[in-house]
Amino acid sequence: MTAPEKDDAQLVEQDDAVIGRAFRLSLWAIAFMAVIGALLWFFLTREEATTDVVDADVAGPQTMTAELATAPPEVRFTDITASAGIAFRHTNGAYGERLLPETMGSGAAFFDYDNDDDPDLLLVNATEWPWQGAPQTTAALYQNRGDGSFADVTSGSGIDISLYGMGIAVADYDGDGWRDIYLTAVGGNKLLHNEGGERFVDATAIAGVAGGADDWSTGAAFFDYDRDGDLDLFVANYVVWSREIDFEVDYRLTGLGRAYGPPTNYAGTNSRLFQNNGDGSFSDVTAAAGIEVNNPATGMPMGKGLALCVLDADEDGWLDVVVANDTVQNFLFRNQQDGTFSETGANSGVAYDNSGSATGAMGIDSAWFHNNDDVAIAIGNFSNEMTSFYVAQEGNGLFTDEAIVSGIGPASRRALSFGVFFFDYDLDGRPDLLQTNGHVENEINTVQPSQRYEQPTQLFWNCGPECPRTFIPVEDAGDLHLPVVGRGAAYADIDADGDLDVVITQTGRGPLLLRNDQATDNRWVRLLLDTVGGNADAIGAVVEVDAGGVTQRQRVTPSRSYLSQVEPVLTFGLGQHDIDEIRVIWPDGSVLTLGSLAAGRQYVINPTGIDPFR
């Protein structure tokens, strides 16, 4: 066959193929049109079905679901800051240079420093910058008068020392029966030993817990990580900072000049772990315990920790630590039961949000929020980032960010959130969530019209697992929603009426003390654990309360929220139910079981039972 003949044959074959394909497509098109026609004929010619509607009374199911309300109860918080005697004003040293520590604020702690069985209040303070030559300011200690009002007892208390303070952790670290104070700061921390409820003495050097002279320390917590019966100390560190570094970073907002900005361009740090030696001193075991986390690419520290949460993430009886890191992945230090930790944040699901991104993480807390084995970790984040809500189903140690499905995500997206904590504000037996908000830039509204420097605190009511969304934003809780430059947040029952009151700190301003004026008629019980030895408040213990067919669980972990500490007393709301049984799982794993107790009281429980003298 010659070349032209070959080409003609190929063209014929190609034409036949094209014709074949066109024929098959035509058959498919005819079949498709036939189906469409049949469907149109069916819908146009069928008779419309009708159903008779008959009104009838239908009884609801006889389960706990029937008891769940669909809207939050009417509960109001009242601002009593001035009337309660709180005149403190936070000093951040700001004078126009926009140095990063100035916008980060300081925390607060409710604790009983004088052992009179009511919560006192300590407000952490920063101070003026030393190169400004202005008068130096101190933290403030307020003694509870027993009725929810306070007396300023700062002068001569030993608290009246000047430092650029950030956070606070409180515990009886030496087992002498009096709670001591640890203050974190920019440039050296302080441990203040409680001298019989009369005054505090600086024990930092003796204890060896100052940290580095250049550390910027933030959140801290006392807990017994090695289960030897005394309290160790975990201290989170933020970034490598100095005034000179701040000017080198030189963060700016268009049209405004220098601004505070995120910590993105600051070098990271490692947190510190101090092991209690049992003689009033501590050893820095940070490296040996596996707390150092370095970037594999650079070998430099990764962490930018602001807050931490102590929990047992894998339910193995040993306490773990979650560190909320600002703009880098969060850390979960799993206790290896041999004096070391393994950082498993990414593998455990708490390192990033539900889009796989690191967030501007601030405050943190955890709870059994469904009154079952599901564990939640809530982390407040920067503006335009939802509050993270990591959930481990049945306590399996593997977390998923359920911010959206929980109901918290959409309402929290716009806020810039710092302090967060779980508490049962209406005493219905389900832990609710509070987060206090406030931007870091004074003039943010100029460049972002959707943002405000002062922002209202948000309260999320726990509707229960049977609701489509577990948490419902509370629209009206009185003065709780006053716009603030919110930073730290803590709670306690300051007036002995059984419900939990709140303090919110602000940077460069006074705090907001809010009395809980709930009138739901719900019952309650308050439990304070008391042991002898190096862990008097039984930090790490778990209490279970059976009431109304539901088991509530809380862990004694006072260090939570942002740079703050709540009272060590556990408050259980009971709704309209009586207590069936109480179980205490002590830090050493032993269990104490108590029968029914009368509601409406606070009990002190020791390893043998109810303390009859308190």
Side-chain angles (χ1 to χ4, degrees), residues 340-365:
T340 68
F341 292 82
S342 175
E343 200 291 294
T344 64
N347 292 335
S348 299
V350 302
Y352 307 103
D353 66 8
N354 54 20
S355 66
S357 301
T359 62
M362 309 295 184
I364 185 171
D365 197 11

Side-chain angles (χ1 to χ4, degrees), residues 102-388:
E102 297 168 355
T103 196
M104 302 308 293
S106 303
F110 282 114
F111 71 111
D112 184 8
Y113 84 90
D114 52 4
N115 286 355
D116 64 354
D117 290 330
D118 53 33
D120 309 300
L121 174 62
L122 191 147
L123 295 163
V124 184
N125 205 357
T127 192
E128 302 290 346
W129 294 113
W131 54 84
Q132 284 298 104
Q136 301 298 288
T137 54
T138 75
L141 179 62
Y142 286 93
Q143 184 182 48
N144 194 323
R145 294 190 175 102
D147 59 359
S149 67
F150 295 84
D152 189 339
V153 296
T154 307
S155 180
S157 66
I159 300 294
D160 49 348
I161 58 175
S162 181
L163 75 167
Y164 206 96
M166 297 291 294
I168 182 170
V170 176
D172 177 12
Y173 74 91
D174 59 351
D176 66 352
W178 300 90
R179 296 177 180 91
D180 312 296
I181 297 169
Y182 186 76
L183 296 175
T184 66
V186 178
N189 308 321
K190 292 291 184 181
L191 178 63
L192 305 177
H193 185 263
N194 190 334
E195 301 287 315
E198 298 294 329
R199 60 190 300 269
F200 292 84
V201 173
D202 189 344
T204 313
I206 296 173
V209 291
D214 296 325
D215 284 357
W216 177 353
S217 298
T218 50
F222 286 101
F223 73 115
D224 184 8
Y225 82 91
D226 50 7
R227 292 184 59 168
D228 63 354
D230 53 32
L231 293 172
D232 311 297
L233 176 62
F234 193 106
V235 182
N237 287 323
Y238 192 32
V239 295
V240 177
W241 181 88
S242 68
R243 184 187 182 202
E244 292 72 26
I245 294 173
D246 205 313
F247 275 97
E248 289 175 4
V249 171
D250 200 24
Y251 186 83
R252 293 175 178 268
L253 285 175
T254 303
L256 296 179
R258 272 186 58 82
Y260 292 113
T264 310
N265 293 322
Y266 293 88
T269 62
N270 282 315
S271 297
R272 293 182 186 267
L273 179 62
F274 297 96
Q275 185 181 42
N276 195 323
N277 297 324
D279 59 0
S281 69
F282 293 77
S283 297
D284 188 338
V285 296
T286 303
I291 302 303
E292 293 184 348
V293 182
N294 297 324
N295 188 315
T298 65
M300 301 300 292
M302 288 180 59
K304 298 181 180 182
L306 281 177
L308 61 94
C309 173
V310 175
L311 76 166
D312 184 359
D314 48 8
E315 298 292 337
D316 64 354
W318 294 72
L319 294 175
D320 312 303
V321 179
V322 180
V323 177
N325 284 315
D326 189 0
T327 70
V328 298
Q329 66 189 68
N330 302 315
F331 297 153
L332 171 53
F333 292 103
R334 286 194 185 272
N335 197 322
Q336 301 299 294
Q337 306 181 21
D338 59 0
T340 68
F341 292 82
S342 175
E343 200 291 294
T344 64
N347 292 335
S348 299
V350 302
Y352 307 103
D353 66 8
N354 54 20
S355 66
S357 301
T359 62
M362 309 295 184
I364 185 171
D365 197 11
S366 68
W368 288 283
F369 71 111
H370 272 163
N371 289 334
N372 57 16
D373 291 333
D374 294 352
V375 177
I377 299 172
I379 298 180
N381 292 317
F382 205 79
S383 58
N384 299 315
E385 296 174 340
M386 294 180 290
T387 293
S388 300

